[in-house]
Amino acid sequence: QVQLVESGGGLVHPGGSLRLSCAASGRNLSSHAMGWFRQAPGKEREFVAVMGTSTTYADFVKGRFTISRDNAKNMVYLQMNSLKPEDTAVYFCAARPSLGLFSHPSAYTYWGQGTQVTVSS
């Protein structure tokens, strides 16, 4: 049983930074693609970034967010810079059992419970 636990969310001013972490347990996920998604109130869950054979980002985070992973520690990170109020959402970590890059939530098998990110002055 794979478990994903996100941390690092919080309240930040516009222009600020946060680093989200996702700790995986139950299986080494080095052969899995790891993704970040987000969901704002009243909106569908949307793709943010994925790391597998390479990395892919949603257009609205390119140049501001960076996904990384430490396979030895079974960790995935999302460095978020230049945050905007519209980045406010619950951020989820997800994993799928191959390294293909997919942006639709249905492609992912394992999910964390999310961490709240609020960008406000």
Side-chain angles (χ1 to χ4, degrees), residues 5-101:
V5 179
E6 303 92 338
S7 62
L11 173 64
V12 63
H13 293 311
S17 298
L18 281 175
R19 188 195 194 204
L20 304 184
S21 299
C22 173
S25 60
R27 182 182 301 174
N28 184 279
L29 299 185
S30 59
S31 62
H32 289 56
M34 301 299 298
W36 286 96
F37 291 78
R38 70 186 189 185
Q39 188 166 18
K43 295 188 177 181
E44 294 186 351
R45 191 167 298 189
E46 64 179 356
F47 168 75
V48 174
V50 60
M51 174 172 274
T53 52
S54 62
T55 58
T56 300
Y57 296 92
D59 287 344
F60 54 78
V61 303
K62 284 181 180 177
R64 300 190 298 126
F65 292 10
T66 303
I67 187 172
S68 61
R69 65 192 298 172
D70 184 336
N71 288 333
K73 295 181 178 179
N74 234 14
M75 296 286 295
V76 181
Y77 306 98
L78 185 68
Q79 178 66 44
M80 306 187 296
N81 299 328
S82 302
L83 283 161
K84 306 174 182 180
E86 51 262 45
D87 293 319
T88 295
V90 177
Y91 283 71
F92 297 89
C93 173
R96 65 182 308 277
S98 79
L99 292 174
L101 304 179

